[in-house]
Each structure stands twice: as structure tokens, then as C-alpha cells.
């Protein structure tokens, strides 16, 4: 699956730290390296110029104040901070800069390696040691920070490019979740206690939930005439998305009406994602499924979850930010024969088209036994092919007053699967251990999948910077 999210250019504040008795030339060299590597990776640098301080480095408290002032002017644009140590650096100047700037963004600490042929007084760096001192001071002050994979690494090293891309994704998740706006459309289905959540805990973490009664949405949809220009435009939009040839014309009109009103609700409230009541009021009172509209929103990076699963769509949005590709809400649904490390993921279904290239609009047979299958047009049918898999789930723990999550990776496979709806086969190392954790810790039956390997990004963003409790299943060994 290749599907990249359109996102604004990442902006990093850069602190190039200097120690006065080390060679000054190293600062100028590091500055050039920063500008080059950032340009190659689409990152914008905000840093002092050689006219602001000696070679643009941060060495004294006066330098720290100048750097902090620059950062404060750009605080609304800065996504993270890169601390560069071309030599030992001045740990106090680094922490002073960050304290005065008060950005509250992720911090990555990099240190250059020494050359064994250049360990004389005039050419040595000692950044190997200086990095430990900087991290010690950051920890004393209480600033969370990230590390490169190698303790010392040149900015030009391929390993650092991977570190930089990882850190960009972490910053994107942290920034995106701290000001997230979720729309909750309707009440959760009466039988689904599993999707309960705490608005107050989410609000304390910067996540707003805007609610609307489903009757308002359905009422507005019914008032839209079938010959309204918006209806024909929405039907064309649906037809361009996937084939509608099998859908009865009156059901297609109902799907379009509902889609129009949902679009207006999202735009009016400047929402990033939605969780929608879909079981069984929409079918009984409007005569169609909302799955197609939800799939279209998710494909366009405005994820939508069914059954008013607010923390489910929060997870979808986080995973989308981490990977740059759409996510899907699924059920941990079935065992796959006798294979302990495989299972079936399923929904009836509303997955983004990225997951189901062969999808078509259909009915929902299970829901149809309750609401009448003729009232379930709009569900999607399609099989997800083999892909990388990241899975995750965020939940609010009301008893403890915290947010908890689990993350992990595996593979989506092409194993045979004879069923309907949106469906996939997942292979997860030590799946039985994971499922015990899900059950023992009282997580929901819904999980979120993404066609990427981005669990480490989610783990770092959630635990290090958002302060959430995270279980990383089968985390790679350090």
C-alpha cells in the first residue's frame, strides 16, 4: 500500500551547542550539515545565524537567551528541537535555552563521533561524553527527550537519516494529538459498553470531543431534496470512489444525503475525525449504512470509526500521523484455524479503500438480520491483501484517571479467507500472549490496523511525550 498524507513541512528549532575550549570550526561545519540534511529531508530549520552568536552556536547564557527568543517568535511553527553536539557542548546553555523558550515539544539529542586520527587538543570533540552531560541536565530539569540509535553519529550518516525520519513522525503524532478535535455523532449502541470512554480524561490531554445527537444529523439529511445539486455531486463523488452499479438508486440518494450532512458537521466544527453511531439507528431510521461515507473520510485522512468508538478513532488518527497512511478500525474477530499466531480481522465494513482495492458497495448481512438487509446498503465488501501491519489501541482508564495503550507489529497475509464484509488475516508474533494482555487489562474488542511498521513511533510519542501508559508487544531488543 502506498498512500502518503499531505502534511505541512516539519519545522525544527536547532541548538548547536559549543564548549569554549574546543575548536570553533566544528560549529560552522555542523551548521552546514544541519542545513544540508534538513533540505534533503524536507525539514525547515530555525537556528541562530553566525551574525547572532559566534558561528551561530549556543555557548553562554547570553547565547541561550538569543536562541530562546528566536524560538519563542516561531513557537507556533516549531514541531520539535534538535540539539546538535559537534563537541562536548555546554549542557547548561542547552537547558537554559529550552527553559526560556518553553516550547513543550519533543527534543532529539545528537552528538558527533570523534576521529581516532584527530584526538589531539586542537581537533578532538568529546561529544561522546558531552551527550551524557546534556541528557543528565535535561533529566534534572524534567524535559523528556529522544536519542539517536547510535550514541554518537554524524549528521551525514545513513543511521541519522533514519533517526531524523523517526523523530519527524514522533513530532507529528505529539503535535497532532495535543490539539485534536473529534466529532461524536450520536450515542454509543446500547449493548456496546466496550466503547465507553471519558471525555474529561481526553480533555485533560488536549483532545476535544464535540457531540451531536444523531436525530439532528438524520433530520437534516431527510430535508435535502433528491434533486438538490449537492446530492448529484455527492453521488458522483461516491461513484468515483467505488462502483455503485449494484446499489438501488433510492439507497444511493440516502447515502448521499447522509454524506452531505456529515461533511457539513465536520466543516462547521473544524473536526479532525469522527465516531458515528451506526448500529442500528441509521439503518432503522434512515434506511442505509454510513460505511461508505466513513470509508471516504478515512481515505482522505479524516478517519471515521463506527459504534461511536471515540478512543478508537483517536487511535486511527494517531496511527495515520505516525505512518502517513490511512488506518482502519477492526474487530479482533476470529481464530484462523489452529494457527496460534494468526487471526481474522473484520468489520462489516467501513475500511478506507487503501485496505481493500477490490472493494464494492454491498449490504451488511449480520446487521440485516436485525434491521432488514435492504436497509444496510452502503456497507463495503473487500479483502485486504498482504501488507506490513501495525496494530494499536488507546483507551481511557476512568478508575485510574489515565490513558493507556498497546502497540505492536506483524503482517497481513494472503491466506485463504471465505467470508464477507471488510476482512483480513493477520499474523502477529506471540498473538496468544497479546490477547491475554488485551483481556487481562480490559481493552476493547476493537483494535486499529495500519499498513506500516510504525509501532516504535507510537510507543515513543505516547509514553515519552504524552505520558500515557503503553504496552509494546514484542518490542525489538535494544
Amino acid at each position: 500500500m502506498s498512500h502518503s498524507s499531505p502534511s505541512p513541512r516539519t519545522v525544527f528549532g536547532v541548538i548547536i551547542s559549543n564548549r569554549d575550549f574546543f575548536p570553533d570550526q566544528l560549529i560552522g561545519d555542523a551548521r552546514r550539515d544541519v542545513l544540508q540534511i534538513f533540505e534533503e529531508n524536507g525539514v525547515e530549520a530555525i537556528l541562530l545565524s553566525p551574525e547572532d552568536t559566534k558561528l551561530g552556536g549556543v555557548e553562554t547564557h547570553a547565547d541561550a537567551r538569543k536562541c530562546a527568543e528566536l524560538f519563542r517568535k516561531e513557537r507556533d511553527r516549531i514541531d520539535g528541537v534538535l540539539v546538535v553536539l559537534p563537541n562536548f557542548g555546554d549542557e547548561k546553555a542547552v537547558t537554559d535555552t529550552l527553559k526560556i523558550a518553553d516550547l513543550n515539544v519533543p527534543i532529539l539529542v545528537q552528538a558527533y563521533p570523534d576521529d581516532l586520527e584527530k584526538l589531539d587538543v586542537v581537533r578532538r570533540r568529546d561529544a561522546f561524553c558531552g551527550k551524557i552531560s546534556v541528557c543528565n541536565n535535561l533529566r534534572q530539569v524534567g524535559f523528556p527527550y529522544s536519542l539517536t540509535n547510535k550514541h554518537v553519529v554524524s549528521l551525514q550518516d545513513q543511521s541519522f537519516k533514519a533517526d531524523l525520519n523517526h523523530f519527524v513522525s514522533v513530532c507529528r503524532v505529539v503535535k497532532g494529538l495535543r490539539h485534536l478535535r473529534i466529532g461524536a455523532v450520536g450515542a454509543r449502541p446500547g449493548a456496546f459498553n466496550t466503547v465507553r470512554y471519558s471525555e474529561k480524561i481526553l480533555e485533560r490531554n488536549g483532545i476535544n470531543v464535540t457531540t451531536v445527537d444523531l436525530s439532528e444529523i438524520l433530520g437534516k439529511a431527510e430535508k435535502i431534496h433528491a434533486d438538490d445539486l449537492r446530492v448529484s455531486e455527492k453521488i458522483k463523488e461516491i461513484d468515483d470512489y467505488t462502483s455503485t452499479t449494484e446499489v438501488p438508486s433510492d439507497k444511493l440518494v440516502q447515502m448521499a444525503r447522509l454524506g452531505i450532512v456529515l461533511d457539513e458537521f465536520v466543516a462547521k466544527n473544524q473536526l479532525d475525525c469522527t465516531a458515528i453511531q451506526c448500529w442500528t439507528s441509521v439503518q432503522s431510521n434512515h434506511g442505509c449504512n454510513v460505511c461508505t461515507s466513513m470509508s471516504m473520510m478515512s481515505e482522505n485522512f479524516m478517519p471515521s470509526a463506527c459504534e461511536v468508538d471515540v478512543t478508537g478513532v483517536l487511535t486511527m488518527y494517531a496511527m495515520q500521523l505516525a505512518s502517513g497512511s490511512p488506518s482502519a478500525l477492526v474487530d479482533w474477530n476470529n481464530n484462523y484455524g489452529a494457527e496460534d499466531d494468526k487471526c481474522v480481522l473484520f468489520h462489516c465494513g467501513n475500511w478506507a479503500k487503501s485496505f481493500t482495492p477490490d472493494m464494492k458497495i454491498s449490504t451488511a448481512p449480520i446487521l440485516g438480520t436485525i434491521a432488514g438487509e435492504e436497509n444496510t446498503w452502503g456497507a463495503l465488501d473487500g479483502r485486504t491483501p498482504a501488507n506490513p501491519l501495525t496494530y494499536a489501541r488507546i483507551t481511557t482508564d476512568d478508575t485510574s484517571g489515565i490513558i493507556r495503550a498497546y502497540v505492536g507489529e506483524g503482517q497481513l497475509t494472503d491466506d485463504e479467507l471465505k467470508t464477507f464484509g471488510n476482512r483480513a488475516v493477520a499474523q502477529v508474533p506471540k498473538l496468544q500472549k497479546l490477547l491475554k494482555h488485551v483481556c487481562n487489562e480490559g481493552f476493547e474488542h476493537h483494535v486499529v490496523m495500519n499498513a506500516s511498521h510504525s509501532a516504535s513511533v507510537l510507543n515513543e510519542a505516547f509514553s515519552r511525550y504524552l505520558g500515557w501508559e503503553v504496552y509494546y508487544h514484542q518490542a525489538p531488543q535494544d
Side-chain angles (χ1 to χ4, degrees):
M1 180 190 303
S2 60
H3 194 145
S4 295
S5 170
S7 58
R9 188 176 173 95
T10 302
V11 180
F12 285 160
V14 180
I15 302 171
I16 303 177
S17 183
N18 188 30
R19 200 79 161 195
D20 58 358
F21 46 79
F22 285 88
D24 291 339
Q25 177 190 339
L26 299 175
I27 305 305
D29 292 346
R31 193 174 194 280
R32 286 191 295 273
D33 287 350
V34 166
L35 295 176
Q36 181 181 340
I37 193 72
F38 277 24
E39 180 62 32
E40 292 173 357
N41 289 271
V43 179
E44 180 181 345
I46 294 176
L47 72 173
L48 293 172
S49 72
E51 290 72 41
D52 293 323
T53 62
K54 185 172 63 176
L55 296 175
V58 178
E59 178 181 330
T60 66
H61 181 71
D63 295 342
R65 297 193 77 86
K66 284 184 181 180
C67 190
E69 182 181 357
L70 175 63
F71 287 176
R72 287 176 72 89
K73 287 179 182 176
E74 301 284 357
R75 64 179 306 136
D76 290 340
R77 299 177 60 232
I78 292 177
D79 302 306
V81 170
L82 172 64
V83 176
V84 178
L85 300 175
N87 57 39
F88 192 103
D90 190 295
E91 64 270 25
K92 197 169 189 315
V94 170
T95 52
D96 283 351
T97 301
L98 293 168
K99 282 192 292 185
I100 298 167
D102 193 26
L103 297 176
N104 192 28
V105 296
I107 301 162
L108 176 63
V109 183
Q110 175 270 351
Y112 275 84
D114 266 305
D115 185 333
L116 288 178
E117 301 302 319
K118 298 178 181 179
L119 286 175
D120 53 31
V121 174
V122 296
R123 295 181 297 176
R124 66 187 298 137
R125 294 179 182 271
D126 290 7
F128 189 101
C129 187
K131 180 175 179 177
I132 299 172
S133 293
V134 168
C135 293
N136 172 276
N137 275 249
L138 291 174
R139 180 66 181 263
Q140 286 186 45
V141 175
F143 289 142
Y145 51 90
S146 298
L147 302 174
T148 53
N149 189 52
K150 297 179 182 178
H151 181 66
V152 288
V153 60
S154 167
L155 292 180
Q156 299 293 346
D157 194 283
Q158 283 297 125
S159 173
F160 179 75
K161 293 179 183 179
D163 293 330
L164 181 63
N165 290 330
H166 177 92
F167 187 62
V168 166
S169 297
V170 169
C171 292
R172 193 165 54 228
V173 173
V174 173
K175 185 174 184 178
L177 297 191
R178 279 179 171 162
H179 303 285
L180 184 64
R181 291 181 58 78
I182 301 175
V185 180
R188 65 170 174 80
F192 280 64
N193 283 359
T194 184
V195 295
R196 286 173 169 173
Y197 70 99
S198 169
E199 272 193 61
K200 292 181 179 180
I201 293 175
L202 294 180
E203 191 71 55
R204 196 183 311 146
N205 284 267
I207 300 162
N208 173 267
V209 180
T210 299
T211 62
V212 64
D213 195 286
L214 185 62
S215 65
E216 293 185 35
I217 299 295
L218 298 184
K220 289 179 180 178
E222 286 304 315
K223 291 177 182 177
I224 299 175
H225 294 291
D227 58 359
D228 190 309
L229 178 61
R230 293 175 297 167
V231 172
S232 58
E233 289 174 345
K234 178 58 76 172
I235 288 175
K236 183 180 185 309
E237 189 181 332
I238 296 170
D239 194 43
D240 288 344
Y241 185 67
T242 188
S243 174
T244 61
T245 53
E246 296 181 14
V247 186
S249 58
D250 61 325
K251 299 302 179 183
L252 197 54
V253 168
Q254 290 299 81
M255 290 164 57
R257 285 169 165 160
L258 191 53
I260 291 165
V261 177
L262 288 172
D263 287 349
E264 291 174 347
F265 172 66
V266 168
K268 178 182 178 182
N269 294 282
Q270 298 183 9
L271 303 174
D272 300 298
C273 51
T274 52
I276 301 174
Q277 180 180 350
C278 59
W279 186 289
T280 55
S281 182
V282 173
Q283 293 78 14
S284 300
N285 296 300
H286 191 67
C288 72
N289 264 36
V290 70
C291 298
T292 299
S293 291
M294 298 169 75
S295 173
M296 292 168 69
M297 288 190 283
S298 293
E299 183 73 10
N300 288 314
F301 298 98
M302 300 184 70
S304 190
C306 47
E307 294 152 12
V308 201
D309 189 351
V310 167
T311 51
V313 81
L314 167 61
T315 313
M316 291 175 71
Y317 195 80
M319 295 180 76
Q320 169 185 296
L321 291 170
S323 67
S325 62
S327 303
L329 187 77
V330 309
D331 284 352
W332 289 116
N333 210 73
N334 311 91
N335 58 291
Y336 190 79
E339 299 201 40
D340 287 346
D341 285 350
K342 289 183 180 178
C343 67
V344 176
L345 306 177
F346 174 84
H347 245 155
C348 45
N350 60 354
W351 299 356
K353 185 165 63 174
S354 295
F355 290 99
T356 51
D358 65 337
M359 79 177 185
K360 62 179 182 179
I361 298 177
S362 184
T363 58
I366 297 175
L367 186 53
T369 62
I370 302 171
E373 193 161 345
E374 72 279 3
N375 293 317
T376 65
W377 280 100
L380 297 172
D381 184 274
R383 166 68 193 268
T384 300
N387 266 301
L389 169 67
T390 294
Y391 56 86
R393 177 71 211 195
I394 300 169
T395 193
T396 54
D397 187 329
D398 301 48
T399 304
S400 303
I402 62 172
I403 293 179
R404 295 187 293 126
Y406 66 85
V407 301
E409 294 176 351
Q411 298 289 330
L412 297 171
T413 75
D414 284 329
D415 290 304
E416 184 179 14
L417 183 61
K418 297 176 182 178
T419 188
F420 52 87
N422 284 166
R423 55 205 184 270
V425 176
Q427 183 171 16
V428 176
K430 296 194 176 179
L431 175 61
Q432 300 304 310
K433 177 184 176 184
L434 171 64
L435 293 173
K436 285 180 180 177
H437 179 82
V438 169
C439 291
N440 283 331
E441 298 300 320
F443 279 97
E444 295 80 355
H445 68 294
H446 289 163
V447 66
V448 175
M449 70 173 180
N450 188 277
S452 68
H453 281 157
S454 52
S456 62
V457 170
L458 295 168
N459 177 59
E460 186 163 352
F462 293 171
S463 61
R464 189 178 301 274
Y465 293 108
L466 297 175
W468 300 348
E469 183 182 292
V470 182
Y471 168 67
Y472 189 171
H473 180 65
Q474 295 302 106
Q477 297 297 314
D478 292 334

